[in-house]
Every structure is written in structure tokens, then in C-alpha cells.
Amino acid sequence: MVFVLTFILFILVFSLVQGLVYLACGTTPVREAEKQLGRIKQSSAWRKFAAEKQIALRKMGAGVLLKDQMTVSQWYLYKAVLSAAFGMITYFITGGVLNLAIGKLLSGGAAVLGWFILDVMLRLKNKSSNDEMMPDIMEMSRSVLYGKRGGQYIGDALKDAVVVVENRRLKSALMKLRNDLDAGKSLDICLDELELGFDNGEISSFCTVIKSLQSTGQVDEALKTLESSIEREQVSVNKRRCMILEQKTMMYVIFIAMDILAMILYCIIMKLLELQIGF
């Protein structure tokens, strides 16, 4: 108790002295904190980390799947909030209600789980989104191919491809690409930005095909090859979905059978109890 009071007194004295120093220098703690934060943000290491993390979040689709235009600071803020919420709820249940001796340990584990739960959610959403956009990538490839065959420029064919796409994430990326092309950006830059928005191998292949062969105009065979690759990938995705559906159906059948068996056993036990009571 004496140590706690001494520590509190030290904090009060330190705060008082610091406040007097700030007052004499004509500044405030908020201004000093902003200066320190500004120095950190201006450092090359911080800027490199923030840029790499922002690109990683963009590739995983965090700005579309979780929150519009999500930034790095918002990402870590949400992770911290989830971690704190998991830890406090677990501690309230295990330490407060159940009064377990390992309540603090379980709370720490729950906090760690809460810190990584957002990463797991984003990866699962991104994988599902990549599987769902396979048909749209194929239709986009066909649209560019048919437009090129009809005499369109590749840029115009890409602008028209947004019409055949239904996936929200891919459609928003193509709309941004069309607006950037209309604003005068080069096709290579627009394709680079499109590729940065996905970690999908088919999107990268599509952008590589367009960038490498747009000058020659010989994109027909390349787009056909890409289309065939996407079709094969789509078949494998459908097979995986069928296997998952079969497994879920089997689990449902097993659960229903167990419920029926439990009901039959319950009826038999109750009947035996009635007979025993009758005797």
C-alpha cells in the first residue's frame, strides 16, 4: 500500500513539474506529443512499414471486405479493440463469475486470440472473394478479347469490361481503372494499381498479359490461354465447393440421426420407468 501511494505521489509531482516546464516554454503536452508523432511518421522506417502494410491490406481487400478505405492505423485500432474486448470478457467470465485460478492466463490467451482474429477473418473473406470472382475474371477476359476483335483499343475494351462484372470488389476496382483512364493516366499505371488491389494470381496474369502485349496487339492467344486457365481453376473451385457441401450435408444427416436416436432412447427409457413404477 505504501508503495502504491509513493508511486501515485511521484506521478503527481512529475506531472506538476512537467506542466510548469511546458508553461515556461510556451507549449503543451498535446503539442509535444504531436511533434513526436510527426517525427516518427517522417522517419523512413515508419513510412516503409506503413506503405508495405497498406499495400498488404489493399491486396487482401480490407478496404472493401471489412471497411471502406481502411488505413493502417484503423486496422491496428480494430485489432487492439478486439483484443481488449476478448480479454476483458474472458476475465469477467473466468475470473469474476467462475472464479477460476487460471482466469488471468485464459484472459491473456483470449486477448492474443482477439488480436489475430481480424487477420483470420480477412484471410477467409479474401479467399472466398477470390473464388467468387473467378467467373467475373473470365467474363472480363472475354469482354476484352471480343472488344479487341471488334476493333476496339484495349483501354476502351477495359472500360467496357466493367459492365459484365458483378463481383463488388472487382467492379469497384474496374470503375476506378476506368475513371483513371478517363482522367488521362497511362494504361500501365492503371493496370499496376489494379494488380495492387488483389492477391489473385489470375488478376496478375491478366494485367501482365495486357501490359506485355498491348503494344503488339497480339492478345488473342494470350487471353485465350488465360481464359482456359481460369476455367480450369473454376472447375477446381467448384469441386472444392461440392466436397464442402457434401461434408456439410453428411454432418447434417449425422446430427439428425443422432437427434432421432436420442429421442428414441428417451422414449424407451421413459417407458421402462413407467413399467417399473407400475410393478
Side-chain angles (χ1 to χ4, degrees):
M1 188 65 181
V2 176
F3 174 77
V4 175
L5 292 176
T6 305
F7 184 71
I8 294 174
L9 180 62
F10 172 76
I11 293 176
L12 291 175
V13 172
F14 179 79
S15 301
L16 179 62
V17 173
Q18 188 181 34
L20 292 175
V21 172
Y22 283 152
L23 184 62
C25 296
T27 184
T28 62
V30 176
R31 292 177 185 172
E32 292 298 318
E34 289 177 350
K35 290 179 181 178
Q36 293 294 332
L37 185 61
R39 294 192 191 100
I40 293 174
K41 287 185 176 181
Q42 292 300 321
S43 64
S44 59
W46 165 258
R47 283 184 292 176
K48 181 180 178 181
F49 168 78
E52 290 178 349
K53 188 63 181 179
Q54 192 67 59
I55 291 173
L57 290 176
R58 185 178 176 184
K59 278 183 171 292
M60 296 293 289
V64 178
L65 301 175
L66 296 181
K67 181 185 178 299
D68 292 340
Q69 304 299 324
M70 174 174 280
T71 62
V72 177
S73 58
Q74 291 173 340
W75 168 259
Y76 284 107
L77 177 62
Y78 292 157
K79 286 169 67 73
V81 169
L82 286 174
S83 177
F86 272 58
M88 288 189 294
I89 292 173
T90 305
Y91 183 75
F92 174 75
I93 295 174
T94 58
V97 178
L98 301 178
N99 197 20
L100 297 177
I102 59 173
K104 293 183 178 179
L105 182 62
L106 293 176
S107 301
V112 173
L113 177 64
W115 178 262
F116 291 105
I117 193 67
L118 200 61
D119 298 85
V120 176
M121 289 174 55
L122 181 59
R123 290 184 182 278
L124 292 176
K125 284 179 174 288
N126 180 56
K127 185 179 183 304
S128 176
S129 175
N130 287 339
D131 291 343
E132 290 173 359
M133 71 173 65
M134 285 293 181
D136 286 324
I137 299 173
M138 190 161 54
E139 290 299 325
M140 178 178 66
S141 176
R142 287 173 179 168
S143 176
V144 175
L145 175 61
Y146 296 155
K148 183 67 177 60
R149 284 177 179 173
Q152 276 187 315
Y153 291 108
I154 295 180
D156 295 332
L158 279 172
K159 292 179 186 178
D160 295 339
V162 70
V163 179
V164 301
V165 173
E166 296 181 0
N167 184 271
R168 183 171 68 94
R169 182 181 172 189
L170 184 57
K171 195 177 189 70
S172 62
L174 288 178
M175 290 180 65
K176 184 179 183 303
L177 182 143
R178 184 175 63 179
N179 294 334
D180 290 341
L181 287 175
D182 291 336
K185 283 188 177 181
S186 68
L187 183 58
D188 286 344
I189 294 176
C190 293
L191 289 172
D192 287 338
E193 292 184 357
L194 176 65
E195 189 175 357
L196 278 176
F198 303 89
D199 67 343
N200 192 309
E202 283 70 28
I203 293 289
S204 299
S205 299
F206 177 82
C207 294
T208 302
V209 167
I210 300 299
K211 284 187 293 186
S212 61
L213 300 177
Q214 61 166 321
S215 58
T216 63
Q218 299 174 355
V219 297
D220 289 16
E221 293 300 324
L223 287 175
K224 284 180 181 178
T225 303
L226 177 62
E227 184 177 342
S228 301
S229 175
I230 294 173
E231 286 179 344
R232 290 194 297 270
E233 183 66 23
Q234 181 65 28
V235 169
S236 64
V237 169
N238 291 334
K239 286 182 179 179
R240 288 199 303 269
R241 288 181 176 177
C242 289
M243 291 179 60
I244 293 173
L245 182 60
E246 290 177 358
Q247 293 173 358
K248 288 183 177 179
T249 304
M250 183 62 66
M251 291 297 296
Y252 291 150
V253 172
I254 293 174
F255 286 148
I256 293 173
M258 291 177 63
D259 290 339
I260 295 174
L261 180 61
M263 184 62 67
I264 293 173
L265 290 175
Y266 174 78
C267 293
I268 293 173
I269 292 172
M270 293 302 295
K271 191 65 177 178
L272 291 174
L273 289 175
E274 289 178 0
L275 292 175
Q276 185 177 5
I277 292 173
F279 283 114

